[in-house]
Each structure stands twice: as C-alpha cells, then as structure tokens.
C-alpha cells in the first residue's frame, strides 16, 4: 500500500487540488467575490478614463471670439515652452483688453463747456459764465417779438446751429423786406413813390409796374432756394432741449448746470452724427439729413436706473445687462434692444430724435449717428413726408423722396471720467440716497 501511494503521490496531489477547486466555489465567499468584481470594474473605469485622456484631441485656446466655432488642433502635448508661450498670449490678450477699455473711455470722454463749472462751480462768476455760454450755444436773443424766455426777447438759432450750417426758411417779414428792397433799389428810382395798384398806371409806368410785380412774385421761391443752397440742414427753432431756468438772471444751480451739460454732450454726439451723415453734401437738397425736428431728453432725471441699484464704486467684472427695463425702472413688457442700465461702469441716458431724411439714405444716417460714438439707435419709425406741402412753408428738400425718421436712442457715459464731474446730489439720487435738508444750492 505504501508502495502504491509512493508511486502515485503526484496523482493524489492533483486529485486533492481538483477536489479543492470543486469545493471552493461552493464555499460561502460571495461577499469577497462581489468586492473583487467591484474593484475590477473600478480599475476598468480608471483605465478607460486614462485612455480617453491620453487619446483626446487637444485644441489651442480660442482667443478670437469669431473663431471659437472652429478650434485649431494642438500638434503636441503642452510642455514648459508651450505653457510659457500660452502665458505670454494670455498676458498680451489682457494688455490688449485693458488698452481697448482705455481707448473706449477716451473715445467716450467729454469735457465741460466751462472749465471748473463741475461738479460744483468754483465761484458765482463761473456759474454765470456757464449760463451765458449755454444760452449762446442753444439760443441767441434779439429784442423783438416777445416769446417764452427772458422778458421782452425772442429766440433764434444759436451757436450750435451755426456749427451745423443750419438754415431757417425766410419768414413773412423776411419776404416782405426782400420785396421792399427790390422796389427801393430798382423801381422806385424810376417810378418814385410807392408801387401803383395793378391796372391804375398807364403807358411806360404800367410796363415797369408789370415787371416789378412779376419779379416780386418770384422772390419767395428765390429766397427759399437761397437758404437751401447756402445751408446743409433745416432745424426747428425749438429742436434742441433747453432748460428754461437758464433764462433767469440768477446763477444756475449745480444740478441744473449738470443737466444742461449732459444735454450739450448728447447734442454734441448727435451733431457729429448729423455732420458725418451730411459730409460731402453741398446744400440741403444733397444732404442725407435735411431737417432736424426735435431732440427730446427726459428732464430732470434722464438716466435709466434699476430700482435699488447701487452706483458706487467701479465694476470688477462684466457690465450688467438686464433685459426687461422700462423708462421708469419698472419691468417692460417689451425687452429693450441692448438691455443696458446705469451701473458701476457706465451711465445710460435714453432720448428721442425726430428728423426728415432722404428715404434712400436711412441706413447711412443710422450708421453715421453711431460711428465712433457710444450712441445706439434702439428703435426707428418711418413715416411719409409731403415734400410739396413743406416746400410751400419754405423747406426746399429737393426732388428725392423724403421720410420722417423717429428714433429712440441711448448714449453711454463711462464713470472713469463722468463721475468726477457729476454733482453729489445727482450721484446720490441715482444711488437712492435721500438729499440732506435744503439740497445742494448756490454755495459757491
């Protein structure tokens, strides 16, 4: 027996192993098996993730917003040199962004009409100088035909109208004066006295009277044409916003100086747009913008401000953009075009422009108003204009179709320069701070 065992020891060992192998799976080790399977699955997941990371397509960073949809593949795995180059590109991009903001602020920067008039006039004389220069730009006073304004004075176009080469159709008094000049310079020396009623003269006198009557009948059209040929744009006498308190003898309040200055900055932006649109035209008949009807600016609170919004400080991140805004800072049923509101980076002012323009030049007019300016047209309405009827009133537009363009616009003013000039009473009002008793008066 011993000999048999010795001779078959290897076979017996194998048989024992087989028996153990058959018994072990039946042994109660189910938990250990599940744990092994979970660990195996975890390792497989890690392996798959590593393979994905190793084989994933790498792209160069997209620094051009227009090219973000078409990424450029990265040829090799980033090393120290590539990382250093990426840091250099990042710094260049940051520097360019900073310069862009600086250039935008410089492009947007406006200066006061009178130095040292804002945020608080240094003295009473500077406040009065601002009042007088503001009048001279918007208005010129002549002592006849009293109208609203300083007692005993009427309003005609001022310095801004001269800058824009504005023409006014001749008035009835102008036409009467032109007819009288014709009589006095050409016919009175020959006929003497006053013009004779039609049909009462005889002979040579009647011939001269007929010539005079014919020439006199042409004078209205000639005078109106003369204005059109010597001007680039018509403008209604009340087209520009004007704070009537500047007609008083007293020095204006700081808040009125600010509102007047804000008006002038907006008028200046609109005016440069008008001059750009009419560049190259020789007269009204060739001009794209033929007639400025009105620039209307809310007064005394022209800013778009959301309720409870704080205007203090500078903005660290992107400028806020709120879609549902109303002119009274309440939600609007129709979202604004830009969604901009006054914020710690810039202030937003909305206003209206009404003008008669060459119908074919509307796209040119709209682009000219906003070119190199932070003036944005939000909405535009076009209505027909009866050019023949307006020609009878002295507005000679030429032979091309003309329409009335009504625009709702906004202008943006960056805090970097604007808030240094804004009176505290205005910035407090925008931030919701109640003014102290008595307000901010003329304490120069």
């Amino acid at each position: 027996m011993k000999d048999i065992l010795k001779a078959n020891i290897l076979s017996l060992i194998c048989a024992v192993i087989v028996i153990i192998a058959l018994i072990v799976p039946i042994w109660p080790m189910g938990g250990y098996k599940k744990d092994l399977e979970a660990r195996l699955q975890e390792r497989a997941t890690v392996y798959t993730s590593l393979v994905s990371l190793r084989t994933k397509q790498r792209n160069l960073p997209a620094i051009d917003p227009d090219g973000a949809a078409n990424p450029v593949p990265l040829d090799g795995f980033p090393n120290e040199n590539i990382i250093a180059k990426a840091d250099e590109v990042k710094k260049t991009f940051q520097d360019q962004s900073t310069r862009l903001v600086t250039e935008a602020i410089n492009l947007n920067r406006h200066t006061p009409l009178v130095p040292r008039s804002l945020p608080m006039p240094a003295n009473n004389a500077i406040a009065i100088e601002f009042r007088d220069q503001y009048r001279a730009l918007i208005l010129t006073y002549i002592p006849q035909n009293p109208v609203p304004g300083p007692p005993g004075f009427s309003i005609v176009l001022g310095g801004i109208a001269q800058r824009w080469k504005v023409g006014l159709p001749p008035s009835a008094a102008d036409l009467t004066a032109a007819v009288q000049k014709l009589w006095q310079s050409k016919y009175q020396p020959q006929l003497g006295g006053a013009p004779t009623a039609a049909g009462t003269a005889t002979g040579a006198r009647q011939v001269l009277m007929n010539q005079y009557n014919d020439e006199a009948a042409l004078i209205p059209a000639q005078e109106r044409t003369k204005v059109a040929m010597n001007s680039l744009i018509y403008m209604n006498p009340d087209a520009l916003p004007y704070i009537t308190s500047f007609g008083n003898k007293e020095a204006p309040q700081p808040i009125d100086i600010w509102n007047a200055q804000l008006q002038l900055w907006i008028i200046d932006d609109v005016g440069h747009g008008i001059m750009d649109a009419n560049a190259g035209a020789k007269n009204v008949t060739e001009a794209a913008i033929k007639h400025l009807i009105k620039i209307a600016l809310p007064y005394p609170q022209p800013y778009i401000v959301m309720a409870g919004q704080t205007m203090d400080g500078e903005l660290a991140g992107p400028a806020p953009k709120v879609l549902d805004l109303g002119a009274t800072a309440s939600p609007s049923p129709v979202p604004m075009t830009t969604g901009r509101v006054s914020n710690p980076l810039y202030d937003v002012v909305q206003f209206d422009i009404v003008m008669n323009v060459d119908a074919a030049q509307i796209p040119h007019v709209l682009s000219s108003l906003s070119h190199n300016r932070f003036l944005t047209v939000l909405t535009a309405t076009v209505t027909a204009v009866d050019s023949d009827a307006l020609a009878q009133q002295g507005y000679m537009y030429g032979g091309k179709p003309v329409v009335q363009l009504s625009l709702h616009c906004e202008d943006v003013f960056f805090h970097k320069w604007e808030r240094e000039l804004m009176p505290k009473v205005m910035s407090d009002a925008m931030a919701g701070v109640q003014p102290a008793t008595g307000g901010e008066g003329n304490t120069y």
Side-chain angles (χ1 to χ4, degrees):
M1 186 68 177
K2 292 181 179 179
D3 295 336
I4 295 173
L5 291 173
K6 291 180 180 179
N8 297 286
I9 187 65
L10 183 61
S11 298
L12 290 173
I13 292 172
C14 290
V16 171
I17 292 173
V18 169
I19 294 170
I20 292 172
L22 292 173
I23 295 174
V24 166
I26 306 173
W27 198 265
M29 298 177 64
Y32 180 69
K33 177 183 178 183
K34 290 181 180 179
D35 181 61
L36 288 176
E37 289 177 346
R39 289 169 63 186
L40 178 63
Q41 183 62 41
E42 181 181 347
R43 295 295 180 88
T45 301
V46 172
Y47 174 78
T48 303
S49 176
L50 291 173
V51 171
S52 175
L53 289 173
R54 183 177 64 82
T55 60
K56 181 181 179 180
Q57 175 64 54
R58 265 74 178 182
N59 298 319
L60 290 171
I63 60 176
D64 181 4
D66 296 330
N70 300 306
V72 178
L74 183 65
D75 295 332
F77 193 80
N79 53 34
E80 290 184 1
N81 291 334
I82 292 177
I83 293 173
K85 188 174 181 179
D87 289 339
E88 182 181 346
V89 171
K90 176 183 176 182
K91 184 178 184 305
T92 300
F93 182 75
Q94 290 174 335
D95 292 343
Q96 290 175 345
S97 299
T98 301
R99 287 198 300 272
L100 180 62
V101 172
T102 301
E103 290 177 7
I105 291 172
N106 290 335
L107 181 65
N108 180 249
R109 189 181 301 275
H110 295 66
T111 56
L113 175 63
V114 176
R116 299 196 302 156
S117 59
L118 291 168
M120 173 79 76
N123 52 57
N124 195 62
I126 289 178
I128 292 176
E129 181 182 357
F130 184 96
R131 179 200 66 189
D132 294 342
Q133 289 199 32
Y134 173 71
R135 286 178 181 174
L137 279 175
I138 305 294
L139 317 167
T140 299
Y141 297 104
I142 54 176
Q144 62 182 22
N145 303 328
V147 297
F153 288 80
S154 67
I155 300 173
V156 297
L157 296 178
I160 287 178
Q162 297 172 16
R163 185 187 307 168
W164 297 349
K165 204 175 179 181
V166 170
L168 283 176
S171 64
D174 294 331
L175 297 178
T176 299
V179 171
Q180 290 176 347
K181 182 178 179 180
L182 171 67
W183 171 258
Q184 293 170 356
S185 63
K186 184 174 181 179
Y187 290 97
Q188 190 176 39
Q190 302 178 65
L191 299 175
T196 305
T200 60
T202 58
R205 182 178 178 85
Q206 185 60 57
V207 172
L208 288 173
M209 284 300 305
N210 290 342
Q211 292 177 359
Y212 163 73
N213 290 331
D214 290 342
E215 286 192 53
L218 298 175
I219 282 180
Q222 291 172 350
E223 292 298 310
R224 291 165 179 165
T225 300
K226 185 188 300 182
V227 171
M229 293 298 105
N230 293 325
S231 310
L232 282 179
I233 186 173
Y234 296 111
M235 184 169 78
N236 285 6
D238 62 347
L240 303 181
Y242 177 69
I243 300 175
T244 56
S245 63
F246 278 81
N248 300 332
K249 295 181 180 180
E250 297 79 11
Q253 297 280 344
I255 190 64
D256 285 336
I257 292 177
W258 173 257
N259 282 310
Q261 182 63 77
L262 184 63
Q263 288 179 353
L264 291 177
W265 286 334
I266 289 175
I267 291 171
D268 187 59
D269 284 347
V270 174
H272 279 93
I274 290 174
M275 290 187 288
D276 287 350
N278 287 346
K282 298 178 181 177
N283 50 60
V284 172
T285 64
E286 297 180 3
I289 302 176
K290 301 180 180 297
H291 190 169
L292 178 61
I293 308 297
K294 193 72 175 176
I295 299 176
L297 180 68
Y299 174 82
Q301 172 52 282
Y303 293 102
I304 301 299
V305 181
M306 292 299 289
Q309 192 173 5
T310 301
M311 298 292 102
D312 297 333
E314 289 301 327
L315 195 68
K321 185 173 183 181
V322 183
L323 290 181
D324 285 328
L325 310 177
T328 59
S330 59
S332 168
V334 180
M336 296 290 186
T337 305
T338 65
R340 297 191 187 110
V341 293
S342 298
N343 60 73
L345 180 63
Y346 54 73
D347 291 327
V348 180
V349 178
Q350 293 187 0
F351 58 97
D352 298 309
I353 309 173
V354 182
M355 58 181 72
N356 292 347
V357 306
D358 183 336
Q361 295 291 325
I362 292 177
H364 171 63
V365 169
L366 296 179
S367 63
S368 296
L369 288 172
S370 58
H371 180 64
N372 282 338
R373 281 169 287 279
F374 286 84
L375 189 158
T376 304
V377 176
L378 302 177
T379 62
T381 304
V382 178
T383 55
V385 168
D386 189 342
S387 298
D388 292 335
L390 288 172
Q392 297 301 314
Q393 301 175 32
Y395 298 102
M396 313 296 288
Y397 293 157
K400 297 179 180 179
V402 175
V403 296
Q404 186 163 106
L405 193 59
S406 299
L407 306 176
H408 186 56
C409 307
E410 73 178 19
D411 215 343
V412 169
F413 300 95
F414 283 93
H415 284 199
K416 281 292 187 182
W417 64 269
E418 183 218 25
R419 285 304 177 98
E420 296 176 354
L421 302 172
M422 181 181 288
K424 187 175 184 301
V425 65
M426 174 58 79
S427 57
D428 283 350
M430 295 181 67
V433 178
Q434 294 297 322
T437 304
E440 187 174 342
N442 283 338
T443 54
Y444 307 120

